[in-house]
């Protein structure tokens, strides 16, 4: 991670445990708490949206899987409603307070934060050096939305989209055309 005081020391993660593993393996002693200088010990603070997927699945998996595999690392979650999460992250980013080691952001923030140099380039820093991680497994539209200059700056924890279904026959019968 960059040592520049003007860059966040965060991974642009969409809150996945895999990103925590990468951060834990590469975090410096300055981003951990406690008196230990071992890079495999300390606390990782993660800012996430408070929804059932996170609170009922990711947080329990962190305790039962990640913290058992990395017993020296404690993961502390700061959970927010979606609007409050965006405000907390924007405040953290704009003030360079580095309150969070990992942040849950979406496709809107990822390229903006990456362009500003506030996120770690995951492709160059981790993915290119880990043959077990196949970024080609990601759905192309999701990978593209979490990239900047063709490099991933965030990894998906989940993906969602919006769509409209309509009955063509009923539209035609009513004389309507779908825009």
């Amino acid at each position: 991670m960059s040592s520049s005081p003007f860059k966040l020391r965060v991974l642009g993660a969409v809150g996945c445990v895999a990103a925590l593993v990468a951060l834990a393996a590469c975090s410096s002693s300055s981003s951990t708490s406690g008196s230990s200088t071992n890079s495999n010990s300390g606390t990782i603070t993660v800012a996430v949206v408070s929804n059932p997927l996170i609170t009922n699945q990711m947080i329990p998996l962190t305790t039962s899987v990640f913290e058992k595999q990395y017993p020296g690392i404690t993961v502390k979650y700061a959970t927010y409603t979606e609007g409050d999460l965006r405000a907390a992250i924007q405040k953290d980013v704009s003030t360079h307070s580095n309150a969070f080691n990992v942040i849950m952001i979406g496709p809107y923030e990822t390229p903006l934060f990456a362009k500003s140099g506030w996120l770690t380039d995951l492709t160059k820093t981790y993915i290119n050096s880990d043959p077990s991680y196949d970024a080609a497994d990601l759905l192309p539209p999701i990978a593209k939305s979490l990239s900047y200059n063709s490099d991933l700056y965030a990894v998906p924890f989940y993906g969602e989209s919006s769509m409209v279904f309509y009955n063509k026959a009923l539209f035609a019968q009513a004389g309507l055309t779908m825009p």
Side-chain angles (χ1 to χ4, degrees):
M1 286 187 223
S2 172
S3 60
S4 168
F6 297 105
K7 291 185 179 182
L8 285 178
R9 304 186 101 197
V10 298
L11 290 174
V14 188
C16 82
V17 176
L20 293 174
V21 173
L23 179 66
C26 299
S27 68
S28 67
S29 60
S30 65
S31 66
T32 61
S33 64
S35 59
S36 175
T37 58
N38 181 346
S39 66
N40 292 324
S41 66
T43 300
I44 297 171
T45 303
V46 184
V48 295
V49 68
S50 180
N51 69 26
L53 193 60
I54 302 300
T55 57
N56 298 338
Q57 293 182 15
M58 187 172 84
I59 293 173
L61 281 173
T62 301
T63 304
S64 66
V65 177
F66 180 84
E67 289 181 353
K68 283 188 177 163
Q69 186 173 357
Y70 299 93
I73 299 172
T74 301
V75 181
K76 176 182 159 195
Y77 284 94
T79 59
Y80 299 90
T81 63
E82 190 167 341
D84 290 343
L85 175 66
R86 183 167 275 136
I89 289 171
Q90 287 177 344
K91 179 181 177 185
D92 189 66
V93 167
S94 65
T95 62
H96 310 291
S97 66
N98 298 328
F100 310 117
N101 303 102
V102 178
I103 57 176
M104 182 176 193
I105 58 175
Y108 175 76
E109 295 90 358
T110 301
L112 295 173
F113 289 7
K115 182 178 181 180
S116 296
W118 295 332
L119 301 176
T120 299
D121 182 334
L122 299 177
T123 299
K124 289 184 176 71
T125 307
Y126 301 106
I127 296 169
N128 286 346
S129 62
D130 183 357
S132 69
Y133 188 88
D134 188 356
D137 286 343
L138 301 175
L139 296 172
I142 291 177
K144 183 177 179 182
S145 71
L146 301 175
S147 296
Y148 176 70
N149 288 338
S150 301
D151 284 347
L152 274 171
Y153 281 82
V155 290
F157 178 65
Y158 65 88
E160 60 186 45
S161 65
S162 300
M163 61 189 76
V164 175
F165 291 92
Y166 68 98
N167 186 313
K168 289 181 179 181
L170 289 177
F171 264 58
Q173 184 181 6
L176 300 172
T177 56
M178 180 55 115

